[in-house]
Amino acid sequence: MLKLRPVFLALTGCLALSAALPQAHAATSGVLTVPAGPAPMTATTAAPGVLDYDGIPTVEHASAENVAGLMYYCDSHKLVTDTTVRSLGRQLASRQGIRANPAYAWGGQGRLMISPTGMFDITTLNRDQQEAVCSRSALRGPALLAQ
């Protein structure tokens, strides 16, 4: 039985180490997990005044981090064929701290920040409306890059 104890300790140590590795790897690899945030509004649950006359939310309050992530979403879902979206997304994402911010990850999932504490899920809009959100977000690019 004494000979099994070192083996048992070695195995339990390996298990403990392997359980810690995915977290350590994620922290050093730059992989960003999407944290829970405020429950996003949808096209059917939007509060009065959130959607404009076109049925899309305002992009005025989206942060640079959120717009960078949203540009990734728009490009990867081929919502805009213009290279401006891809270029803007890359320029913003290359800035210090942008990719580590939860707003970047939320934007990459199609969530637009409509206020400091509110989000809107643009995936609940029809394709034309999603394209409009992408275009309007891209128009904020020069102001965001100047900050």
Side-chain angles (χ1 to χ4, degrees):
M1 193 88 169
L2 290 175
K3 290 188 177 185
L4 291 178
R5 180 170 262 177
V7 171
F8 176 74
L9 291 174
L11 285 175
T12 57
C14 287
L15 288 174
L17 182 59
S18 67
L21 282 178
Q23 292 174 344
H25 177 70
T28 59
S29 70
V31 174
L32 180 64
T33 56
V34 181
M41 288 183 229
T42 66
T44 57
T45 64
V50 169
L51 303 178
D52 69 7
Y53 63 91
D54 289 332
I56 64 171
T58 182
V59 299
E60 292 175 20
H61 304 290
S63 64
E65 294 86 357
N66 189 233
V67 170
L70 203 56
M71 295 299 96
Y72 169 79
Y73 175 84
C74 296
D75 184 54
S76 66
H77 287 86
K78 302 192 184 335
L79 294 170
V80 188
T81 57
D82 186 332
T83 58
T84 303
V85 167
R86 185 179 320 127
S87 176
L88 172 63
R90 287 179 179 169
Q91 288 177 14
L92 288 171
S94 69
R95 292 181 162 194
Q96 183 72 26
I98 293 277
R99 290 185 184 184
N101 190 299
Y104 176 78
W106 293 328
Q109 286 190 325
R111 293 182 178 177
L112 171 70
M113 295 187 73
I114 55 173
S115 73
T117 59
M119 278 193 279
F120 186 91
D121 186 353
I122 72 165
T123 66
T124 64
L125 299 171
N126 69 41
R127 186 168 179 86
D128 289 342
Q129 291 170 321
Q130 287 184 51
E131 290 171 357
V133 170
C134 292
S135 295
R136 288 187 187 174
S137 297
L139 290 174
R140 282 188 36 90
L144 293 172
L145 288 170
Q147 293 177 349

